[in-house]
């Protein structure tokens, strides 16, 4: 918190910071989760969710409920809150909130491209897109045939335009390269977001740098682990690592050379955080690396609320809300599939 | 002897505007004599205006900082509305200190006659009121901002956990004492200010 931010922040953003902290108070606690895991059916789940901040959001849904409906409605609630904040914000908070949506936009673009390749119905695809990542040209993606057309006609006008230029060689739009496209876009997005946060002052940058850095490290590790057994060459893989985070620049160099999961673990062992996360996975049979990453992410996002007069809490709130939706969907799926033994594998937030 | 003309008890016109046959025609002035070229009235009046203006700026700054946080937090947690008005009241007190001091300073300004009838005591009074005004103004500015920022934190933490409010209130009380320090010193500074003049014109 630099002196400047304390003096001027509240002029434009004080009200919204109060609002977002109010939203955060509505995040489900461990007491709520212990009620939810005891539900026998999705209708019970709906009943319990009525007493939380979600309220009557499932009221008009015909029973029997499906988990996809619950997921959709929970996301709808989150989008409502986001739109409220976005509508009331002024610069530079409004640009910051827009940056949060670009991540979802990238996922939507990739979803639409994959769907087109498999010749799915465009309307169906649009319904599957994340609502926060909607952009105007979404409809025209489905008719593009080559990457070049896609870039020139559709993506260049979206906020994702700058992430494509220079980063991607014109490649065939096919199954193999789609993940590369996703990762390249996301790398450019993370670096751009970090650069933007630096202009917002210390209070925001301290929090966001850490959060974006962890996201970048996590992507680097996941890209490496997922590339074993595929045709992705090491040099190509190295180009996908974001230049951000604790693993940059030395950890990435070692990661680029890794050939198997053990060497990945060795490559990141010099950073205590990752050493700890990997060893947690080693001890616990049920816990996957993804779970460990999610847990750590929740911890970092909770810390963002310790800083006042910064924008980090806005970003963190939506990440925590996403995690909450994942938790609710996990619990709902376990109830439906009658897998009560696994039901406690959600990640507790508060 | 430069500056003060002993016979008249004070500096009179600007040396370069004075006729060359005047007794002070050969006086040379130093740069610092500019301070004497403004009448004590101006120094005193500026002091009085700084006292109120800068205090009010501090109070306003504090109120908007804490007010916006109270508004935002109260949307989801309405119970904090009434309690947190205390922070606004503490900021307001700072403006009231400014009013009091400005009234005190203004009441010390008295007409002493011609420009040339100022005695050194009058110059002292002018300067004393000026700096007393700066003292109370800047202390209240700092105090208002301090209480505002603390009040903002108090509103947000009260929304999350009601037990925290009283603890943070203690911090605000210490913060508002800063304004009081400014008021006390400024009263001491201004206490000997008195416009007497040399009685020639009365």
């Amino acid at each position: 918190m630099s002196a400047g931010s304390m003096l001027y922040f509240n002029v434009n953003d004080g009200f919204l910071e109060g609002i977002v902290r109010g939203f955060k108070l509505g995040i489900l606690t461990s007491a709520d989760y212990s009620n939810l895991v005891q539900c026998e059916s999705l209708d019970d789940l709906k009943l319990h969710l009525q007493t939380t901040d979600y309220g009557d959001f499932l009221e008009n849904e015909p029973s029997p409920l499906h988990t996809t409906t619950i997921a959709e409605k929970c996301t709808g609630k989150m989008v409502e809150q986001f739109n409220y904040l976005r509508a009331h914000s002024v610069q530079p908070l409004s640009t910051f909130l827009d940056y949060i949506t670009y991540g979802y936009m990238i996922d939507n673009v990739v979803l639409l491209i994959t769907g087109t390749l498999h010749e799915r119905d465009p309307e169906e695809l649009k319904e599957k897109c994340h609502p926060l990542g909607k952009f105007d040209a979404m409809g025209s993606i489905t008719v593009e045939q080559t990457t070049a057309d896609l870039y020139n006609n559709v993506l260049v006008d979206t906020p994702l335009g700058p992430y494509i230029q220079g980063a991607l060689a014109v490649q065939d739009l096919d199954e193999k390269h789609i993940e590369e496209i996703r990762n390249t876009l996301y790398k450019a997005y993370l670096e751009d977001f970090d650069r933007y946060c630096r202009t917002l002052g210390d209070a925001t940058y301290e929090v966001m740098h850490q959060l974006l850095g962890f996201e970048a490290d996590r992507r680097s590790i996941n890209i490496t682990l997922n590339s074993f057994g595929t045709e992705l060459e090491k040099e190509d893989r190295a180009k996908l690592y974001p230049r951000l985070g604790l693993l940059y620049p030395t950890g990435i160099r070692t990661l680029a050379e890794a050939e198997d999961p053990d060497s990945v673990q060795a490559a990141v062992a010099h950073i205590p955080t990752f050493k700890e996360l990997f060893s947690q996975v080693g001890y616990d049979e049920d816990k996957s690396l993804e779970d460990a990453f999610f847990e750590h992410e929740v911890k970092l996002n909770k810390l963002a609320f310790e800083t006042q007069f910064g924008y980090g809490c806005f970003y963190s709130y939506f990440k925590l809300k996403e995690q909450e939706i994942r938790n609710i969907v996990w619990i709902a799926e376990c109830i439906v599939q009658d897998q009560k033994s696994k039901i406690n594998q959600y990640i507790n937030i508060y | 002897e430069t500056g003060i003309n002993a016979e008249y008890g004070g500096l009179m016109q600007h040396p370069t505007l004075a006729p060359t046959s005047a007794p002070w025609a050969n006086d040379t002035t130093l740069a610092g004599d500019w301070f004497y070229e403004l009448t004590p009235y101006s120094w005193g009046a500026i002091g009085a205006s700084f006292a109120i203006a800068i205090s009010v700026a501090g109070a306003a700054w504090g109120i908007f900082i804490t007010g916006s946080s109270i508004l935002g937090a109260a949307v989801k947690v309405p119970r904090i509305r009434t309690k947190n008005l205390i922070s606004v009241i503490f900021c307001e007190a700072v403006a009231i200190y400014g009013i009091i001091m400005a009234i005190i300073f203004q009441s010390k300004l008295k007409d002493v006659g011609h420009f040339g009838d100022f005695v050194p005591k009058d110059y002292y009074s002018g300067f004393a009121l000026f700096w007393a005004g700066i003292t109370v103004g800047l202390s209240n500015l700092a105090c208002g901002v301090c209480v505002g920022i603390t009040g903002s934190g108090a509103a947000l933490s009260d929304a999350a956990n009601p037990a925290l409010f009283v603890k943070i209130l203690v911090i605000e009380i210490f913060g508002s004492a800063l304004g009081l320090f400014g008021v006390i010193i400024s009263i001491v500074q201004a206490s000997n200010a008195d416009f007497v003049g040399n009685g020639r014109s009365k």
Side-chain angles (χ1 to χ4, degrees), chain A residues 197-227:
Chain A
C197 288
R198 194 171 294 152
T199 68
L200 294 174
D202 276 344
T204 306
Y205 189 60
E206 271 169 16
V207 171
M208 289 307 297
H209 190 61
Q210 196 183 32
L211 291 173
L212 294 176
F214 177 71
E215 184 67 26
D217 289 335
R218 178 195 194 173
R219 290 210 153 233
S220 303
I221 294 176
N222 281 335
I223 290 171
T224 319
L225 288 174
N226 294 336
S227 69

Side-chain angles (χ1 to χ4, degrees), chain A residues 292-347:
Chain A
F293 281 151
F294 278 133
E295 252 182 55
H296 190 71
E297 188 191 4
V298 163
K299 209 163 68 172
L300 290 180
N301 280 318
K302 276 161 59 174
L303 283 179
F305 288 95
E306 307 285 312
T307 307
Q308 205 186 344
F309 308 118
Y311 293 151
C313 56
F314 292 92
Y315 178 84
S316 297
Y317 170 71
F318 288 106
K319 291 292 168 198
L320 289 179
K321 203 67 179 165
E322 254 184 53
Q323 179 61 48
E324 178 182 286
I325 296 174
R326 279 195 286 265
N327 287 347
I328 294 177
V329 169
W330 174 265
I331 293 174
E333 289 284 357
C334 285
I335 291 175
V336 162
Q337 292 173 19
D338 210 17
Q339 301 243 23
K340 291 293 184 146
S341 55
K342 293 200 176 179
I343 204 168
N344 286 315
Q345 283 173 14
Y346 62 88
I347 301 196

Side-chain angles (χ1 to χ4, degrees), chain A residues 147-288:
Chain A
T147 340
D149 285 342
L150 182 74
Y151 303 156
N152 295 332
N153 298 341
V154 179
L155 291 178
V156 77
D157 288 327
T158 67
L160 300 178
Y163 302 153
I164 300 158
Q165 282 143 21
L168 288 178
V170 174
Q171 288 166 333
D172 296 322
L173 260 184
D174 59 14
E175 198 80 45
K176 268 194 307 179
H177 293 119
I178 200 68
E179 282 303 312
E180 273 184 52
I181 292 176
R182 184 207 299 272
N183 286 320
T184 320
L185 284 174
Y186 215 89
K187 165 188 168 166
Y189 160 63
L190 282 178
E191 289 172 8
D192 190 32
F193 200 177
D194 185 71
R195 181 206 50 78
Y196 178 67
C197 288
R198 194 171 294 152
T199 68
L200 294 174
D202 276 344
T204 306
Y205 189 60
E206 271 169 16
V207 171
M208 289 307 297
H209 190 61
Q210 196 183 32
L211 291 173
L212 294 176
F214 177 71
E215 184 67 26
D217 289 335
R218 178 195 194 173
R219 290 210 153 233
S220 303
I221 294 176
N222 281 335
I223 290 171
T224 319
L225 288 174
N226 294 336
S227 69
F228 297 142
T230 67
E231 290 165 13
L232 190 61
E233 295 298 327
K234 283 199 196 152
E235 309 85 52
D236 293 331
R237 191 174 81 201
K239 276 190 272 187
L240 297 175
Y241 297 148
R243 285 167 298 190
L244 204 57
L246 297 170
L247 288 176
Y248 169 76
T250 51
I252 301 189
R253 240 175 271 149
T254 339
L255 254 185
E257 303 300 322
E259 307 245 331
D260 53 49
D262 288 326
S263 49
V264 169
Q265 190 164 358
V268 301
H270 64 288
I271 296 177
T273 325
F274 292 114
K275 188 166 166 193
E276 170 69 28
L277 290 175
F278 273 90
S279 66
Q280 275 176 15
V281 174
Y283 283 134
D284 196 339
E285 280 302 309
D286 285 332
K287 201 173 192 182
S288 71

Side-chain angles (χ1 to χ4, degrees), chain A residues 7 10-11 15 18 23 25 308, chain B residues 61 65 68-69 72 145 152 156 159:
Chain A
L7 296 174
N10 274 9
V11 180
F15 175 70
F23 286 158
L25 292 176
Q308 205 186 344
Chain B
W61 203 329
I65 292 181
S68 49
S69 288
V145 169
S152 157
L156 295 177

